[in-house]
Coordinates of all heavy atoms in Angstrom, one line a residue:
M1 N 44.6 -128.7 -53.4 CA 45.5 -127.4 -53.3 C 44.6 -126.2 -53.0 O 44.8 -125.4 -52.2 CB 46.4 -127.3 -54.4 CG 47.4 -126.1 -54.3 SD 48.5 -126.3 -53.0 CE 49.6 -125.1 -53.3
F2 N 43.5 -126.0 -54.0 CA 42.7 -125.0 -54.0 C 41.9 -124.9 -52.7 O 41.8 -123.9 -52.0 CB 41.7 -125.0 -55.1 CG 40.8 -123.8 -55.1 CD1 41.2 -122.5 -55.4 CD2 39.5 -124.0 -54.7 CE1 40.2 -121.4 -55.4 CE2 38.5 -122.9 -54.7 CZ 38.9 -121.7 -55.0
G3 N 41.5 -126.1 -52.1 CA 40.7 -126.2 -50.9 C 41.6 -125.8 -49.7 O 41.2 -125.2 -48.7
L4 N 42.9 -126.2 -49.7 CA 43.8 -125.7 -48.7 C 44.0 -124.1 -48.7 O 44.1 -123.7 -47.6 CB 45.2 -126.4 -49.0 CG 45.9 -127.1 -47.8 CD1 45.0 -127.8 -47.0 CD2 47.2 -127.8 -48.2
L5 N 44.1 -123.6 -49.9 CA 44.1 -122.1 -50.0 C 42.9 -121.4 -49.2 O 43.0 -120.4 -48.6 CB 44.4 -121.6 -51.4 CG 45.7 -121.8 -51.9 CD1 45.8 -121.6 -53.4 CD2 46.8 -121.0 -51.1
C6 N 41.7 -122.1 -49.7 CA 40.5 -121.5 -49.2 C 40.4 -121.6 -47.6 O 40.0 -120.7 -47.0 CB 39.2 -122.2 -49.8 SG 39.1 -121.7 -51.5
L7 N 40.8 -122.8 -47.1 CA 40.8 -123.0 -45.7 C 41.7 -122.0 -45.0 O 41.5 -121.3 -44.0 CB 41.2 -124.5 -45.4 CG 41.4 -124.9 -44.0 CD1 40.1 -124.6 -43.2 CD2 41.9 -126.2 -43.8
G8 N 43.0 -121.7 -45.6 CA 44.0 -120.9 -45.0 C 43.3 -119.4 -45.1 O 43.5 -118.6 -44.0
A9 N 42.7 -119.1 -46.1 CA 42.3 -117.6 -46.2 C 41.0 -117.5 -45.2 O 41.1 -116.4 -44.5 CB 41.6 -117.5 -47.5
S10 N 40.2 -118.5 -45.1 CA 39.2 -118.5 -44.0 C 39.7 -118.3 -42.6 O 39.2 -117.5 -41.8 CB 38.2 -119.7 -44.0 OG 37.7 -119.8 -45.3
L11 N 40.7 -119.1 -42.3 CA 41.3 -119.1 -40.9 C 42.0 -117.6 -40.7 O 41.9 -117.1 -39.6 CB 42.4 -120.0 -40.8 CG 41.7 -121.5 -40.7 CD1 42.9 -122.6 -40.6 CD2 40.9 -121.6 -39.4
A12 N 42.6 -117.1 -41.7 CA 43.3 -115.9 -41.6 C 42.2 -114.8 -41.4 O 42.5 -113.8 -40.5 CB 44.1 -115.5 -42.8
A13 N 41.1 -114.9 -42.1 CA 40.0 -113.7 -42.0 C 39.4 -114.0 -40.7 O 39.0 -112.9 -40.1 CB 39.0 -114.0 -43.1
A14 N 39.2 -115.1 -40.1 CA 38.7 -115.2 -38.7 C 39.5 -114.7 -37.8 O 39.1 -114.2 -36.6 CB 38.3 -116.7 -38.5
A15 N 40.9 -114.6 -37.9 CA 41.8 -114.1 -37.0 C 41.8 -112.7 -36.9 O 42.3 -112.1 -35.9 CB 43.2 -114.7 -37.2
I16 N 41.3 -111.9 -37.9 CA 41.3 -110.5 -37.9 C 40.1 -110.0 -37.0 O 38.9 -110.3 -37.4 CB 41.2 -110.0 -39.4 CG1 42.5 -110.5 -40.2 CG2 41.1 -108.4 -39.4 CD1 42.2 -110.2 -41.6
P17 N 40.3 -109.2 -36.1 CA 39.2 -108.7 -35.3 C 38.3 -107.8 -36.1 O 38.9 -106.9 -36.8 CB 40.0 -107.9 -34.2 CG 41.3 -107.6 -34.6 CD 41.8 -108.5 -35.6
A18 N 37.1 -108.1 -35.9 CA 36.1 -107.2 -36.5 C 35.9 -105.9 -35.7 O 35.9 -106.1 -34.5 CB 34.8 -108.0 -36.8
H19 N 35.5 -104.9 -36.3 CA 35.2 -103.6 -35.6 C 33.8 -104.0 -35.0 O 32.9 -104.6 -35.4 CB 35.0 -102.4 -36.6 CG 36.3 -102.1 -37.2 ND1 37.3 -101.4 -36.5 CD2 36.9 -102.2 -38.4 CE1 38.2 -101.1 -37.2 NE2 38.1 -101.7 -38.3
A20 N 33.7 -103.4 -33.8 CA 32.5 -103.5 -33.0 C 31.2 -102.9 -33.8 O 31.3 -101.8 -34.4 CB 32.6 -103.0 -31.6
S21 N 30.1 -103.6 -33.8 CA 29.0 -103.1 -34.5 C 28.5 -101.9 -33.5 O 28.6 -101.9 -32.4 CB 27.9 -104.1 -34.6 OG 27.5 -104.5 -33.3
P22 N 27.6 -101.1 -34.2 CA 27.0 -100.0 -33.3 C 26.1 -100.6 -32.2 O 26.1 -99.9 -31.1 CB 26.1 -99.3 -34.4 CG 26.7 -99.5 -35.7 CD 27.3 -100.9 -35.5
Q23 N 25.5 -101.7 -32.4 CA 24.6 -102.3 -31.4 C 25.6 -102.7 -30.2 O 25.2 -102.5 -29.0 CB 23.8 -103.6 -31.9 CG 23.1 -104.2 -30.9 CD 22.1 -103.3 -30.2 OE1 21.4 -102.4 -30.9 NE2 21.8 -103.4 -28.9
S24 N 26.8 -103.4 -30.5 CA 27.6 -103.8 -29.4 C 28.2 -102.6 -28.7 O 28.4 -102.6 -27.4 CB 28.7 -104.8 -29.9 OG 29.6 -104.2 -30.7
R25 N 28.6 -101.6 -29.4 CA 29.0 -100.3 -28.8 C 28.1 -99.8 -27.8 O 28.3 -99.3 -26.8 CB 29.4 -99.4 -29.8 CG 30.9 -99.5 -30.2 CD 31.3 -98.4 -31.2 NE 31.5 -99.1 -32.4 CZ 31.4 -98.7 -33.6 NH1 31.0 -97.5 -33.7 NH2 31.7 -99.4 -34.7
R26 N 26.7 -99.8 -28.2 CA 25.7 -99.2 -27.5 C 25.5 -100.0 -26.2 O 25.3 -99.5 -25.0 CB 24.4 -99.2 -28.2 CG 23.2 -98.4 -27.6 CD 22.0 -98.3 -28.5 NE 22.4 -97.8 -29.8 CZ 22.1 -98.4 -31.0 NH1 21.5 -99.6 -30.9 NH2 22.4 -98.0 -32.1
S27 N 25.7 -101.4 -26.3 CA 25.5 -102.3 -25.2 C 26.7 -102.0 -24.2 O 26.4 -102.0 -23.0 CB 25.6 -103.7 -25.6 OG 24.4 -104.1 -26.4
D28 N 27.9 -101.8 -24.7 CA 29.0 -101.5 -23.8 C 28.8 -100.1 -23.2 O 29.2 -100.1 -22.0 CB 30.3 -101.5 -24.6 CG 30.9 -102.8 -25.1 OD1 30.5 -103.9 -24.4 OD2 31.7 -102.7 -26.0
Q29 N 28.2 -99.2 -23.9 CA 28.0 -97.8 -23.1 C 26.9 -98.0 -22.0 O 27.0 -97.5 -20.9 CB 27.5 -97.0 -24.2 CG 28.6 -96.4 -25.2 CD 28.0 -95.6 -26.3 OE1 26.8 -95.4 -26.4 NE2 28.9 -95.0 -27.0
E30 N 25.9 -98.8 -22.2 CA 24.8 -99.1 -21.3 C 25.4 -99.7 -20.1 O 25.1 -99.5 -18.9 CB 23.8 -99.8 -21.9 CG 23.0 -98.9 -22.9 CD 22.0 -99.8 -23.7 OE1 21.9 -101.1 -23.4 OE2 21.3 -99.3 -24.5
A31 N 26.3 -100.8 -20.4 CA 27.0 -101.6 -19.2 C 27.8 -100.7 -18.4 O 27.9 -100.8 -17.2 CB 27.7 -102.7 -19.8
A32 N 28.6 -99.7 -19.0 CA 29.4 -98.8 -18.4 C 28.7 -97.8 -17.6 O 29.0 -97.6 -16.4 CB 30.3 -98.0 -19.4
R33 N 27.5 -97.4 -18.1 CA 26.6 -96.4 -17.2 C 26.1 -97.3 -16.0 O 26.1 -96.7 -14.9 CB 25.5 -95.9 -18.2 CG 24.6 -95.0 -17.5 CD 23.6 -94.6 -18.4 NE 22.5 -93.7 -17.7 CZ 21.5 -94.2 -17.1 NH1 21.3 -95.5 -16.9 NH2 20.7 -93.2 -16.5
E34 N 25.6 -98.5 -16.3 CA 25.0 -99.2 -15.2 C 26.1 -99.4 -14.1 O 25.9 -99.4 -12.9 CB 24.5 -100.5 -15.6 CG 23.1 -100.5 -16.2 CD 22.0 -99.9 -15.3 OE1 22.0 -100.4 -14.2 OE2 21.3 -98.9 -15.6
G35 N 27.3 -99.8 -14.5 CA 28.5 -100.0 -13.6 C 28.8 -98.9 -12.8 O 29.0 -99.0 -11.6
R36 N 28.8 -97.6 -13.3 CA 29.0 -96.4 -12.6 C 27.9 -96.2 -11.6 O 28.1 -95.9 -10.4 CB 29.1 -95.3 -13.5 CG 30.5 -95.3 -14.3 CD 30.7 -93.9 -15.2 NE 29.6 -93.6 -15.9 CZ 29.3 -94.0 -17.2 NH1 30.1 -94.8 -17.7 NH2 28.3 -93.6 -17.9
I37 N 26.7 -96.4 -12.1 CA 25.6 -96.1 -11.1 C 25.6 -97.1 -9.9 O 25.3 -96.6 -8.8 CB 24.2 -96.2 -11.9 CG1 24.0 -95.1 -12.9 CG2 23.0 -96.4 -11.0 CD1 22.8 -95.3 -13.9
Q38 N 25.9 -98.2 -10.1 CA 25.9 -99.4 -9.1 C 27.3 -99.2 -8.3 O 27.5 -100.0 -7.3 CB 25.8 -100.7 -9.7 CG 24.5 -100.9 -10.3 CD 24.5 -102.2 -11.1 OE1 25.4 -103.0 -11.2 NE2 23.2 -102.5 -11.7
G39 N 28.3 -98.3 -8.7 CA 29.4 -98.1 -8.0 C 30.4 -99.3 -8.2 O 31.5 -99.3 -7.5
R40 N 30.3 -100.0 -9.3 CA 31.2 -101.1 -9.7 C 32.4 -100.5 -10.5 O 33.4 -101.2 -10.7 CB 30.6 -102.3 -10.2 CG 29.6 -103.0 -9.5 CD 28.9 -104.2 -10.2 NE 28.0 -103.7 -11.2 CZ 28.2 -103.9 -12.4 NH1 29.4 -104.5 -13.0 NH2 27.3 -103.4 -13.3
L41 N 32.1 -99.6 -11.2 CA 33.1 -98.9 -12.1 C 33.4 -97.5 -11.9 O 32.5 -96.7 -11.5 CB 32.5 -99.1 -13.6 CG 32.4 -100.4 -14.2 CD1 31.8 -100.3 -15.6 CD2 33.8 -101.1 -14.3
L42 N 34.7 -97.1 -12.2 CA 34.9 -95.6 -12.2 C 34.5 -94.9 -13.5 O 34.2 -95.7 -14.4 CB 36.4 -95.5 -12.1 CG 37.2 -96.1 -11.0 CD1 38.7 -96.0 -11.1 CD2 36.8 -95.4 -9.7
S43 N 34.2 -93.8 -13.4 CA 33.7 -93.0 -14.6 C 34.9 -92.9 -15.6 O 36.1 -92.9 -15.2 CB 33.2 -91.7 -14.1 OG 34.2 -90.8 -13.9
L44 N 34.5 -92.7 -16.7 CA 35.6 -92.4 -17.8 C 36.5 -91.1 -17.4 O 37.7 -91.2 -17.6 CB 35.0 -92.1 -19.1 CG 36.0 -91.7 -20.3 CD1 37.0 -92.7 -20.5 CD2 35.1 -91.3 -21.5
R45 N 35.8 -90.1 -16.8 CA 36.5 -89.0 -16.4 C 37.5 -89.2 -15.4 O 38.6 -88.8 -15.4 CB 35.6 -87.8 -15.9 CG 34.5 -87.4 -17.0 CD 35.2 -86.8 -18.2 NE 34.2 -86.9 -19.3 CZ 34.5 -87.4 -20.4 NH1 35.5 -87.9 -20.7 NH2 33.5 -87.3 -21.5
E46 N 37.2 -90.1 -14.5 CA 38.2 -90.6 -13.4 C 39.4 -91.3 -14.0 O 40.4 -91.1 -13.7 CB 37.6 -91.3 -12.4 CG 36.5 -90.5 -11.5 CD 35.8 -91.6 -10.5 OE1 34.8 -92.1 -11.0 OE2 36.2 -91.8 -9.4
I47 N 39.1 -92.2 -14.9 CA 40.1 -93.1 -15.6 C 41.0 -92.0 -16.4 O 42.2 -92.1 -16.4 CB 39.5 -93.9 -16.6 CG1 38.5 -95.0 -15.9 CG2 40.5 -94.7 -17.4 CD1 39.3 -96.0 -15.0
E48 N 40.4 -91.1 -17.2 CA 41.2 -90.1 -17.9 C 42.0 -89.3 -17.0 O 43.2 -89.0 -17.3 CB 40.2 -89.2 -18.8 CG 39.6 -89.9 -19.9 CD 38.6 -89.2 -20.6 OE1 37.9 -88.2 -20.0 OE2 38.3 -89.4 -21.8
A49 N 41.6 -88.8 -15.9 CA 42.4 -88.0 -15.0 C 43.5 -88.7 -14.5 O 44.6 -88.1 -14.2 CB 41.5 -87.6 -13.8
R50 N 43.4 -90.1 -14.4 CA 44.6 -90.8 -13.9 C 45.7 -91.1 -15.0 O 46.9 -91.3 -14.7 CB 44.2 -92.1 -13.4 CG 43.4 -92.0 -12.1 CD 42.7 -93.4 -11.7 NE 41.8 -93.3 -10.5 CZ 41.7 -94.0 -9.6 NH1 42.5 -95.2 -9.6 NH2 40.9 -93.9 -8.6
V51 N 45.2 -91.1 -16.3 CA 46.1 -91.7 -17.4 C 46.7 -90.5 -18.2 O 47.7 -90.4 -18.6 CB 45.5 -92.8 -18.1 CG1 46.3 -93.3 -19.1 CG2 45.1 -93.9 -17.2
V52 N 45.7 -89.6 -18.6 CA 46.0 -88.6 -19.7 C 47.1 -87.7 -19.3 O 48.0 -87.5 -20.2 CB 44.7 -87.9 -20.1 CG1 45.0 -86.8 -21.0 CG2 43.6 -88.9 -20.8
P53 N 47.1 -87.2 -18.1 CA 48.2 -86.2 -17.8 C 49.7 -86.9 -18.0 O 50.5 -86.1 -18.5 CB 48.0 -85.9 -16.4 CG 46.5 -85.9 -16.3 CD 46.1 -87.2 -17.1
A54 N 49.8 -88.1 -17.5 CA 51.1 -88.7 -17.7 C 51.5 -88.9 -19.2 O 52.7 -88.8 -19.5 CB 51.1 -90.0 -16.9
M55 N 50.5 -89.3 -19.9 CA 50.7 -89.6 -21.2 C 51.0 -88.4 -22.1 O 51.9 -88.2 -22.9 CB 49.6 -90.3 -22.0 CG 49.4 -91.7 -21.4 SD 50.9 -92.8 -21.7 CE 50.9 -93.0 -23.5
T56 N 50.4 -87.3 -21.8 CA 50.6 -86.0 -22.5 C 51.9 -85.4 -22.1 O 52.6 -84.7 -23.0 CB 49.4 -85.0 -22.3 OG1 49.1 -84.8 -20.9 CG2 48.1 -85.5 -22.8
R57 N 52.3 -85.7 -20.8 CA 53.7 -85.2 -20.4 C 54.7 -85.9 -21.3 O 55.8 -85.3 -21.5 CB 53.8 -85.3 -19.0 CG 53.3 -84.4 -18.1 CD 53.9 -84.4 -16.6 NE 53.6 -85.7 -15.9 CZ 52.4 -86.0 -15.4 NH1 51.4 -85.1 -15.2 NH2 52.3 -87.2 -14.8
K58 N 54.5 -87.0 -21.8 CA 55.4 -87.9 -22.5 C 55.2 -87.5 -24.1 O 55.9 -88.2 -24.8 CB 55.2 -89.3 -22.3 CG 55.5 -89.7 -20.9 CD 55.3 -91.2 -20.7 CE 55.4 -91.5 -19.3 NZ 55.2 -93.1 -19.0
G59 N 54.4 -86.5 -24.4 CA 54.4 -86.0 -25.8 C 53.3 -86.7 -26.5 O 53.2 -86.5 -27.7
A60 N 52.3 -87.4 -25.9 CA 51.3 -88.2 -26.6 C 50.0 -87.3 -26.6 O 49.8 -86.5 -25.6 CB 51.0 -89.4 -26.1
Q61 N 49.3 -87.4 -27.7 CA 47.9 -86.6 -27.8 C 46.9 -87.7 -27.6 O 46.8 -88.9 -28.1 CB 47.8 -86.1 -29.2 CG 46.5 -85.3 -29.5 CD 46.3 -85.0 -30.9 OE1 47.4 -85.1 -31.7 NE2 45.3 -84.4 -31.1
Y62 N 45.9 -87.4 -26.7 CA 44.8 -88.3 -26.4 C 43.8 -88.2 -27.5 O 43.4 -87.1 -28.0 CB 44.0 -87.8 -25.1 CG 42.8 -88.7 -24.6 CD1 43.0 -90.0 -24.6 CD2 41.8 -88.0 -24.2 CE1 41.9 -90.8 -24.2 CE2 40.6 -88.9 -23.9 CZ 40.8 -90.2 -23.8 OH 39.7 -90.9 -23.4
I63 N 43.5 -89.4 -28.1 CA 42.5 -89.4 -29.2 C 41.2 -90.1 -29.0 O 40.3 -90.1 -29.9 CB 43.3 -90.0 -30.5 CG1 43.8 -91.4 -30.2 CG2 44.3 -89.0 -30.9 CD1 44.3 -91.9 -31.5
G64 N 41.1 -90.7 -27.9 CA 39.7 -91.4 -27.5 C 40.0 -92.7 -26.8 O 40.9 -93.0 -26.3
F65 N 38.8 -93.5 -26.6 CA 38.9 -94.6 -25.8 C 37.8 -95.6 -26.4 O 36.9 -95.3 -27.1 CB 38.4 -94.2 -24.4 CG 36.8 -93.9 -24.3 CD1 36.0 -94.9 -23.8 CD2 36.5 -92.7 -24.6 CE1 34.7 -94.6 -23.7 CE2 35.1 -92.4 -24.5 CZ 34.2 -93.4 -24.0
D66 N 37.8 -96.7 -25.9 CA 36.9 -97.9 -26.1 C 36.7 -98.6 -24.7 O 37.5 -98.5 -23.8 CB 37.4 -99.0 -27.0 CG 37.5 -98.6 -28.4 OD1 36.5 -97.8 -28.9 OD2 38.4 -98.9 -29.1
F67 N 35.4 -99.1 -24.4 CA 35.2 -99.8 -23.3 C 34.6 -101.2 -23.6 O 33.9 -101.3 -24.5 CB 34.0 -98.9 -22.5 CG 33.8 -99.8 -21.2 CD1 34.6 -99.7 -20.1 CD2 32.5 -100.3 -21.1 CE1 34.2 -100.5 -18.9 CE2 32.1 -101.1 -19.9 CZ 33.0 -101.1 -18.8
D68 N 35.2 -102.1 -22.9 CA 34.7 -103.6 -23.2 C 33.9 -104.0 -22.0 O 34.5 -104.2 -20.8 CB 36.0 -104.4 -23.4 CG 35.7 -105.9 -23.6 OD1 34.5 -106.4 -23.2 OD2 36.4 -106.6 -24.3
S69 N 32.7 -104.1 -22.1 CA 31.8 -104.5 -21.0 C 32.1 -105.8 -20.4 O 31.9 -106.2 -19.2 CB 30.3 -104.3 -21.3 OG 30.0 -105.3 -22.3
G70 N 32.6 -106.8 -21.3 CA 32.9 -108.1 -20.9 C 34.1 -108.2 -19.9 O 34.1 -109.0 -19.0
T71 N 35.0 -107.4 -20.0 CA 36.2 -107.3 -19.1 C 36.3 -106.1 -18.2 O 37.2 -106.1 -17.3 CB 37.4 -107.4 -19.9 OG1 37.5 -106.2 -20.8 CG2 37.5 -108.6 -20.8
S72 N 35.4 -105.2 -18.5 CA 35.4 -103.9 -17.5 C 36.7 -103.1 -17.9 O 37.2 -102.5 -17.0 CB 35.1 -104.1 -16.2 OG 33.9 -104.5 -16.0
I73 N 37.3 -103.2 -19.1 CA 38.6 -102.5 -19.5 C 38.2 -101.3 -20.3 O 37.6 -101.5 -21.4 CB 39.6 -103.5 -20.0 CG1 39.9 -104.5 -19.0 CG2 40.8 -102.8 -20.6 CD1 40.9 -105.6 -19.5
Y74 N 38.7 -100.3 -19.9 CA 38.8 -99.1 -20.7 C 40.1 -99.2 -21.5 O 41.2 -99.2 -21.0 CB 38.8 -97.7 -20.0 CG 37.4 -97.4 -19.4 CD1 37.2 -97.8 -18.1 CD2 36.5 -96.6 -20.1 CE1 35.9 -97.4 -17.5 CE2 35.3 -96.3 -19.5 CZ 35.1 -96.8 -18.3 OH 33.8 -96.3 -17.6
T75 N 40.1 -98.9 -22.8 CA 41.4 -98.7 -23.6 C 41.5 -97.3 -24.2 O 40.6 -96.9 -25.0 CB 41.3 -99.6 -24.8 OG1 41.2 -101.1 -24.3 CG2 42.7 -99.6 -25.7
L76 N 42.4 -96.5 -23.6 CA 42.5 -95.3 -24.0 C 43.6 -95.2 -25.1 O 44.6 -95.9 -25.1 CB 43.1 -94.4 -22.8 CG 42.0 -93.8 -21.7 CD1 41.3 -94.9 -21.2 CD2 42.6 -92.9 -20.8
K77 N 43.4 -94.4 -26.1 CA 44.2 -94.3 -27.3 C 44.9 -93.0 -27.4 O 44.3 -91.9 -27.2 CB 43.3 -94.6 -28.5 CG 42.8 -96.0 -28.6 CD 41.9 -96.3 -29.9 CE 40.6 -95.9 -29.4 NZ 39.6 -96.3 -30.4
F78 N 46.2 -93.0 -27.7 CA 47.0 -91.8 -27.9 C 47.8 -92.0 -29.1 O 48.0 -93.0 -29.8 CB 48.0 -91.8 -26.6 CG 47.3 -91.6 -25.3 CD1 46.9 -92.8 -24.6 CD2 47.1 -90.4 -24.7 CE1 46.3 -92.6 -23.3 CE2 46.4 -90.2 -23.6 CZ 46.2 -91.5 -22.8
L79 N 48.2 -90.7 -29.6 CA 49.0 -90.6 -30.8 C 50.3 -89.8 -30.6 O 50.2 -88.8 -29.7 CB 48.2 -89.9 -31.8 CG 48.9 -89.8 -33.3 CD1 49.0 -91.3 -33.9 CD2 48.0 -88.9 -34.2
R80 N 51.5 -90.4 -30.8 CA 52.8 -89.8 -30.6 C 53.6 -90.2 -31.8 O 53.9 -91.3 -32.0 CB 53.4 -90.3 -29.3 CG 54.7 -89.5 -29.0 CD 55.3 -89.9 -27.7 NE 55.5 -91.3 -27.5 CZ 55.5 -92.0 -26.4 NH1 55.4 -91.3 -25.2 NH2 55.7 -93.4 -26.4
N81 N 54.1 -89.2 -32.4 CA 55.1 -89.2 -33.5 C 54.5 -90.2 -34.6 O 55.2 -91.0 -35.1 CB 56.4 -89.8 -33.0 CG 57.1 -88.8 -32.2 OD1 56.9 -87.6 -32.2 ND2 57.7 -89.3 -31.2
G82 N 53.1 -90.1 -34.8 CA 52.6 -90.9 -35.9 C 52.3 -92.5 -35.5 O 51.7 -93.1 -36.2
S83 N 52.6 -92.7 -34.3 CA 52.2 -94.1 -33.7 C 51.1 -94.1 -32.7 O 51.0 -93.1 -31.9 CB 53.5 -94.7 -33.0 OG 54.5 -94.9 -33.9
V84 N 50.3 -95.0 -32.7 CA 49.1 -95.2 -31.8 C 49.6 -96.0 -30.6 O 50.4 -97.0 -30.7 CB 48.0 -95.9 -32.4 CG1 46.7 -95.9 -31.4 CG2 47.3 -95.0 -33.6
I85 N 49.3 -95.5 -29.5 CA 49.6 -96.2 -28.2 C 48.3 -96.6 -27.5 O 47.5 -95.6 -27.4 CB 50.4 -95.2 -27.2 CG1 51.7 -94.7 -27.9 CG2 50.7 -96.0 -26.0 CD1 52.3 -93.6 -27.2
W86 N 48.1 -97.7 -27.1 CA 46.9 -98.2 -26.4 C 47.2 -98.6 -24.9 O 48.3 -99.1 -24.6 CB 46.4 -99.5 -27.0 CG 45.8 -99.4 -28.3 CD1 44.5 -99.1 -28.7 CD2 46.6 -99.5 -29.6 NE1 44.5 -99.0 -30.1 CE2 45.8 -99.3 -30.7 CE3 47.9 -99.9 -29.9 CZ2 46.1 -99.5 -31.9 CZ3 48.3 -100.1 -31.2 CH2 47.4 -99.9 -32.2
V87 N 46.5 -97.8 -24.0 CA 46.7 -98.1 -22.6 C 45.4 -98.8 -22.0 O 44.3 -98.1 -22.1 CB 46.9 -96.7 -21.9 CG1 47.0 -97.0 -20.4 CG2 48.1 -96.0 -22.5
D88 N 45.5 -100.0 -21.6 CA 44.3 -100.7 -20.9 C 44.3 -100.4 -19.5 O 45.2 -100.6 -18.8 CB 44.6 -102.2 -21.3 CG 44.4 -102.6 -22.8 OD1 43.6 -101.8 -23.5 OD2 44.9 -103.6 -23.2
V89 N 43.1 -100.0 -19.1 CA 42.8 -99.7 -17.7 C 41.7 -100.4 -17.1 O 40.7 -100.4 -17.7 CB 42.7 -98.1 -17.5 CG1 42.6 -97.7 -16.0 CG2 43.7 -97.2 -18.2
D90 N 41.9 -101.0 -15.9 CA 40.8 -101.7 -15.2 C 39.8 -100.7 -14.8 O 40.1 -99.7 -14.1 CB 41.4 -102.5 -14.1 CG 40.3 -103.3 -13.3 OD1 39.2 -102.8 -13.2 OD2 40.8 -104.4 -12.9
G91 N 38.6 -100.8 -15.4 CA 37.6 -99.8 -15.0 C 37.0 -99.9 -13.4 O 36.4 -99.0 -13.1
R92 N 37.4 -100.9 -12.9 CA 37.0 -101.1 -11.5 C 37.9 -100.4 -10.5 O 37.6 -99.8 -9.5 CB 36.9 -102.6 -11.1 CG 35.7 -103.3 -11.8 CD 35.9 -104.8 -11.7 NE 37.1 -105.3 -12.3 CZ 37.2 -106.2 -13.3 NH1 36.1 -106.7 -13.9 NH2 38.3 -106.5 -13.8
S93 N 39.3 -100.6 -10.8 CA 40.3 -100.1 -9.9 C 40.9 -98.8 -10.5 O 41.5 -98.0 -9.7 CB 41.3 -101.0 -9.5 OG 42.1 -101.4 -10.8
G94 N 41.0 -98.7 -11.8 CA 41.7 -97.5 -12.2 C 43.1 -97.9 -12.6 O 44.0 -97.0 -13.0
R95 N 43.6 -99.1 -12.3 CA 44.9 -99.6 -12.4 C 45.2 -99.8 -13.9 O 44.5 -100.4 -14.7 CB 45.1 -100.9 -11.7 CG 46.5 -101.4 -11.6 CD 46.7 -102.6 -10.7 NE 45.9 -103.7 -11.3 CZ 46.4 -104.6 -12.2 NH1 47.6 -104.5 -12.7 NH2 45.7 -105.6 -12.6
I96 N 46.4 -99.3 -14.4 CA 46.8 -99.6 -15.7 C 47.4 -101.0 -15.9 O 48.2 -101.5 -15.0 CB 48.1 -98.6 -16.1 CG1 47.5 -97.1 -16.1 CG2 48.5 -99.1 -17.4 CD1 48.6 -96.1 -16.4
M97 N 46.7 -101.7 -16.8 CA 47.0 -103.2 -16.9 C 48.1 -103.4 -18.0 O 48.8 -104.3 -17.8 CB 45.7 -103.8 -17.3 CG 44.6 -103.8 -16.2 SD 43.1 -104.6 -16.6 CE 43.7 -106.2 -16.4
S98 N 48.0 -102.7 -19.1 CA 49.0 -102.8 -20.1 C 49.1 -101.7 -21.0 O 48.2 -100.7 -21.0 CB 48.7 -104.1 -21.0 OG 47.5 -104.0 -21.7
R99 N 50.2 -101.6 -21.7 CA 50.5 -100.5 -22.6 C 51.1 -101.1 -23.9 O 52.1 -101.9 -23.7 CB 51.3 -99.4 -22.0 CG 51.6 -98.2 -23.0 CD 52.4 -97.3 -22.3 NE 53.0 -96.5 -23.4 CZ 54.3 -95.9 -23.5 NH1 55.1 -96.3 -22.5 NH2 54.6 -95.2 -24.4
S100 N 50.6 -100.8 -25.1 CA 51.2 -101.4 -26.3 C 51.3 -100.3 -27.3 O 50.5 -99.3 -27.4 CB 50.5 -102.5 -26.7 OG 49.0 -102.2 -27.0
G101 N 52.1 -100.5 -28.4 CA 52.2 -99.6 -29.4 C 53.3 -98.5 -29.1 O 53.8 -98.4 -28.0
G102 N 53.3 -97.5 -30.1 CA 54.1 -96.4 -30.0 C 55.5 -96.5 -29.4 O 56.3 -95.9 -29.1

C-alpha cells in the first residue's frame, strides 16, 4: 500500500510542470534573437502589436510573455478581473493559436 502511494505521488509530481530554469530561459531568448535575425520569427514587438490592443479593449491588462524556442510560440499573459489569460501566438506567422483562462 505504501509503495502504491509513493508511486502515485511520484507520478503526480512528474505531471506538474516545472518552472523554466534561468539557463533554459536564456537559451529561449537566444533562439528568439537568432530567429529574428534570420527572418524566421517576428519580433516580440510585432507580436504584441497584433494581440495586446485587442485584449486591452476587452479590459485585460498585459502582464508579460514567455517564448518557447522548441515550438516558436510566444505566450502572452494578461490579467482581467483577477484571472490570468494566456494567448499562444505562432512566432513565425503572428497567428493566434489558442487562448485559455479568464
Side-chain angles (χ1 to χ4, degrees):
M1 181 70 169
F2 180 74
L4 224 46
L5 287 173
C6 288
L7 176 62
S10 296
L11 291 174
I16 298 171
H19 292 286
S21 70
Q23 180 61 36
S24 68
R25 274 186 243 148
R26 192 172 311 117
S27 296
D28 284 341
Q29 290 173 350
E30 290 169 4
R33 181 178 177 278
E34 281 300 311
R36 286 190 310 275
I37 290 170
Q38 295 171 359
R40 293 181 291 110
L41 293 175
L42 298 172
S43 72
L44 173 61
R45 300 303 162 231
E46 291 174 277
I47 299 290
E48 289 172 334
R50 293 173 184 220
V51 178
V52 172
M55 292 299 293
T56 55
R57 280 193 299 274
K58 295 177 184 176
Q61 176 187 359
Y62 181 52
I63 57 175
F65 75 97
D66 285 322
F67 177 73
D68 183 335
S69 62
T71 61
S72 297
I73 292 176
Y74 286 93
T75 300
L76 278 61
K77 295 177 267 187
F78 297 87
L79 186 63
R80 181 175 57 204
N81 299 326
S83 296
V84 178
I85 303 165
W86 294 272
V87 179
D88 292 331
V89 182
D90 185 323
R92 296 168 293 241
S93 67
R95 183 175 66 87
I96 294 175
M97 301 180 67
S98 68
R99 180 179 162 221
S100 59

